Amino acid sequence: SWLFLSILICISLIDIESFWIPQGLLNFGFFSGIFSLTFTDFITDDFIDFYSLAKSLGAALIAFLIFESLRYFAKYIFKKEALGKGDSKLVAMISLWLGPLGTLFAVGISYIFAAIFCLFGISFNLIKYRQVIPFAPFLSLGGLFTWFYGNEFIIKMILKI
């Protein structure tokens, strides 16, 4: 948990400062996510669950492809970059840690956090209309929220609403 938290905090702070996500941190997140999956399975079951590993790798690939498609679609609609390529890679890295369902929750929650931030920021003149904002901090918040509370808690929250 501390490793995942540390990686996401570093990525968020760098993205806030420079609108850039270092590939080295993403690579470290990928490798540590894969190591975590294999090591946890090996410790708990005395063997490596290749199905779980393949499911997480598949979720990472699908998440990357969906975000890349969204990025190209937004660029076509708005005639300028709306999402960075680092955001696609970050979602893929987060999906290694959270799995398919956790990735859906994390991305959904991140869009909610970003919308709230933009509404308050524009309302209180903290940000300007059409100002570029980094998205990695919101993806990180959504990923951490899902990591710490878990999929079951989020499902129970959704069902209560």
Side-chain angles (χ1 to χ4, degrees), residues 123-141:
S123 298
F124 295 116
N125 294 325
L126 300 172
I127 58 173
K128 297 176 186 139
Y129 183 67
R130 295 204 181 255
Q131 178 181 339
V132 177
I133 59 168
F135 193 52
F138 301 109
L139 287 170
S140 297
L141 276 174

Side-chain angles (χ1 to χ4, degrees), residues 2 13 37 43 56 63 65 69 80 86-87 92 95 98 111 121-122 125 135-136 141 152 154-155:
W2 284 109
L13 292 176
L37 279 170
I43 292 297
S56 292
L65 292 174
S69 301
K80 63 180 181 177
D87 296 328
S95 69
L98 300 178
Y111 275 108
I122 291 172
N125 294 325
F135 193 52
L141 276 174
E152 293 80 21
I154 297 171
I155 290 171

Side-chain angles (χ1 to χ4, degrees), residues 62-77:
I62 291 170
F64 176 77
L65 292 174
I66 288 173
F67 250 72
E68 279 296 294
S69 301
L70 182 64
R71 187 171 78 86
Y72 284 118
F73 182 69
K75 186 176 181 179
Y76 175 76
I77 296 294

Side-chain angles (χ1 to χ4, degrees), residues 21 50-51 77 84-85 105 108 131 136 148 150 152 156:
I21 300 173
F50 289 106
Y51 173 74
I77 296 294
K85 190 167 188 152
F105 289 144
Q131 178 181 339
F148 287 120
E152 293 80 21
K156 287 178 186 176

Side-chain angles (χ1 to χ4, degrees), residues 1-9 28 97 144 147-148:
S1 293
W2 284 109
L3 187 61
F4 187 53
L5 173 73
S6 300
I7 292 168
L8 291 180
I9 286 175
F28 183 68
W97 286 86
L144 290 174
W147 178 262
F148 287 120

